[in-house]
Amino acid sequence: MNKQLLSLLVVLLCFVACKKEPENNGLEDVQGIENSIVNEECYMAYSQKDTVLLHLKIANKNQVAGSLQYKFNEKDRNGGTFKGVLKGDSLIANYSFLSEGVVSSRDMVFLKRGEAYLEGYGEIIQSANGSVRFKNHKNLRFDDSILLLKTDCE
C-alpha cells in the first residue's frame, strides 16, 4: 500500500510541476494593487476645450492600475480603468472604458518623456472577444498632440 501511495504522490507532483501558466502578453498580475500602493501620480492634458486625465497607482515599481478619462469638446466622454505594467519608459496596459453606453476594452501604451506621458498610436486589430489590440507595439507612433503633464492628484 505504501508503494501505491508513493506512486500516486509522484504522479500528482509531476502533474502539478508540468502545469502550464496562462499567457498574459507581458502584463503582470496586478490584482490587489490597491492594497499595496507605493506611489500615486496624476497627469493632465488640456487643449482649448479638450481634457485628458490620467491617474496612476504604482506598486512594486512596475505594476500599475488607474483611471483614464477623455473629455473632448462636442464628443461623448469616455472614461474607464486600466491595469498593466511599467517597462522602462513605457506604460503598457489594458484599458476598459464606457463610451456611448458601450463597455469596450483596448490596449494603451504611453511613453514617458521627462515629467510627461505621450500616448501611442498605431495599427490595431480586433480580437475574437471584441477587444482592440495594437498589431505591433514596436511600430507605435508617439506625438505630442496630447501631452499629459504631471499635476497634483485631487
Side-chain angles (χ1 to χ4, degrees):
M1 181 164 161
N2 283 339
K3 286 184 180 183
Q4 289 176 339
L5 186 58
L6 183 61
S7 296
L8 180 61
L9 183 61
V10 168
V11 170
L12 286 174
L13 286 174
C14 288
F15 179 74
V16 171
C18 294
K19 181 182 173 189
K20 183 179 177 185
E21 292 295 320
E23 290 185 28
N24 60 8
N25 297 328
L27 299 180
E28 297 175 16
D29 180 23
V30 292
Q31 289 188 351
I33 192 171
E34 292 81 9
N35 297 328
S36 60
I37 295 172
V38 174
N39 193 18
E40 197 167 353
E41 297 177 2
C42 293
Y43 297 83
M44 183 174 80
Y46 181 78
S47 163
Q48 297 172 350
K49 297 179 182 178
D50 299 333
T51 306
V52 179
L53 302 167
L54 176 66
H55 185 171
L56 303 176
K57 297 176 183 179
I58 305 166
N60 302 323
K61 296 185 182 179
N62 70 339
Q63 296 178 336
V64 173
S67 63
L68 178 62
Q69 295 179 14
Y70 295 93
K71 299 175 184 177
F72 294 125
N73 187 39
E74 298 183 11
K75 291 186 181 178
D76 285 342
R77 292 181 177 193
N78 105 30
T81 60
F82 60 86
K83 290 186 179 182
V85 295
L86 292 173
K87 287 187 174 183
D89 58 0
S90 297
L91 164 59
I92 303 167
N94 183 270
Y95 174 53
S96 297
F97 60 98
L98 180 65
S99 179
E100 298 180 0
V102 178
V103 176
S104 301
S105 173
R106 70 172 174 87
D107 279 352
M108 64 176 232
V109 177
F110 286 88
L111 178 66
K112 189 160 189 183
R113 184 178 291 159
E115 292 292 309
Y117 273 103
L118 302 171
E119 188 167 7
Y121 301 94
E123 189 175 355
I124 57 171
I125 54 174
Q126 190 160 358
S127 64
N129 67 3
S131 64
V132 176
R133 304 278 178 236
F134 287 118
K135 187 171 183 178
N136 187 341
H137 285 201
K138 293 180 182 181
N139 293 335
L140 295 179
R141 297 174 315 278
F142 298 91
D143 63 41
D144 58 2
S145 61
I146 298 178
L147 182 64
L148 292 151
L149 299 173
K150 193 168 191 176
T151 187
D152 292 334
C153 294
E154 295 177 7

